[in-house]
Structure formats: structure tokens, C-alpha cells
Amino acid sequence: MSGDLSELYQQVILDHNKRPRNRGKLPTANRVAHGDNPTCGDQCSVYLRLDPGIPGGAERIGGITFDGSGCAISQASASLMTTLVKGKTAAEVEAMFKDFHHIVTTGQAPEEISDLAAFAGVHTFPARIKCATLGWHAALNALKGDPIPTTTESHTD
Ligand code: ZN
């Protein structure tokens, strides 16, 4: 059969799965959320630090990491997500997720979007959409969640 997994596992996905970016805990995180996708067995935790923006402006993501296990789609999507949302506001991340959700549910990518389009093949495998969006949901939940105490006790360094 054509249109199979070889199309689904695009180069970007393979690369992020093989060499995940921003993987592990973020010691300075002040937001954390966990997501899991029981239908596939995927797990994903997102750690991020919201920094104050310019006075009167929105907070921005100063740092973000993810940790988890599961299929290539879920882990690669979380890895790619962390590379795209750093420096963004919660509203900007929500807008990016809307674009990404459109890509994975329709297979159609807006022109200005690059690496996210690698996941367009997911739309032919509806069961995998939850894999692709797992990390994004965790990140959005982390952004909406309450602050957690940071593990750094002081700023003496
Ligand atoms: Zn999965």
C-alpha cells in the first residue's frame, strides 16, 4: 500500500524522534503539566518557565523542556513543539496549536508553516492525532496551570 507509514514518518519526525530537543526536566520551570494518551501508551510531561514580558505585556516562555515515552509521533511532536514555542506568549502558542491541529486533522498546511507540516500525514491515521497533539495539550495545560514553586532557592549566583 502507498500512503503508508513511510509517508507518515517524515524526515523531520524521524530526526526529532532520534535526537529529541529539550528533553528532560527544567530545573527553573514554574509551570508543569502531564499528558497521557492511553490508546497508544504515550506519556508526556512539559516543564516550562514563564518570564515576565515587557511592562504591561504578556508573559513569555523563557524555557521549555519535555520528558516522556511513547511512539515516534508523540515524542517527535513534543520535541518539535519545544523548539517552536520558546519566547512565545500563551496566546501565540494557542494560535500555533490551532494551525497544527488543522494540519493533523486535514493534512493541509498553511504556507508559512514549515516543520509542523511534516505531521500532515497523520490525518490519514485518525487514531494517531492524539499522539501528535499530546505534547501541545500538555504545554497548553502548563500555560494555563498555577505556578509551581521553583527549585532554585535564591539568586546568589
Ligand atoms: Zn502514540
Side-chain angles (χ1 to χ4, degrees), residues 37 40 42 71 74 128 131:
N37 176 21
C40 184
D42 308 320
C71 69
S74 67
R128 310 304 296 278
C131 305

Side-chain angles (χ1 to χ4, degrees), residues 13-28:
I13 300 176
L14 289 170
D15 180 54
H16 276 272
N17 187 54
K18 198 172 173 185
R19 296 185 300 116
R21 321 296 200 275
N22 306 310
R23 189 180 186 110
K25 287 193 170 74
L26 182 69
T28 58

Side-chain angles (χ1 to χ4, degrees), residues 37-113:
N37 176 21
T39 58
C40 184
D42 308 320
Q43 307 258 351
C44 182
S45 294
V46 167
Y47 308 85
L48 65 86
R49 190 183 73 248
L50 269 180
D51 289 338
I54 56 165
E59 292 178 305
R60 291 185 179 276
I61 297 174
I64 181 166
T65 64
F66 82 101
D67 209 354
S69 59
C71 69
I73 298 287
S74 67
Q75 302 305 299
S77 177
S79 171
L80 177 61
M81 179 274 297
T82 63
T83 69
L84 296 175
V85 303
K86 195 174 175 188
K88 306 289 188 203
T89 67
E92 288 168 342
V93 175
E94 277 182 43
M96 289 176 82
F97 175 67
K98 272 185 78 175
D99 287 340
F100 182 62
H101 192 262
H102 182 78
I103 290 168
V104 297
T105 53
T106 68
Q108 295 168 352
E111 278 179 20
E112 71 272 20
I113 288 184

Side-chain angles (χ1 to χ4, degrees), residues 122-130:
V122 170
H123 88 281
T124 57
F125 301 86
R128 310 304 296 278
I129 291 170
K130 282 183 179 170

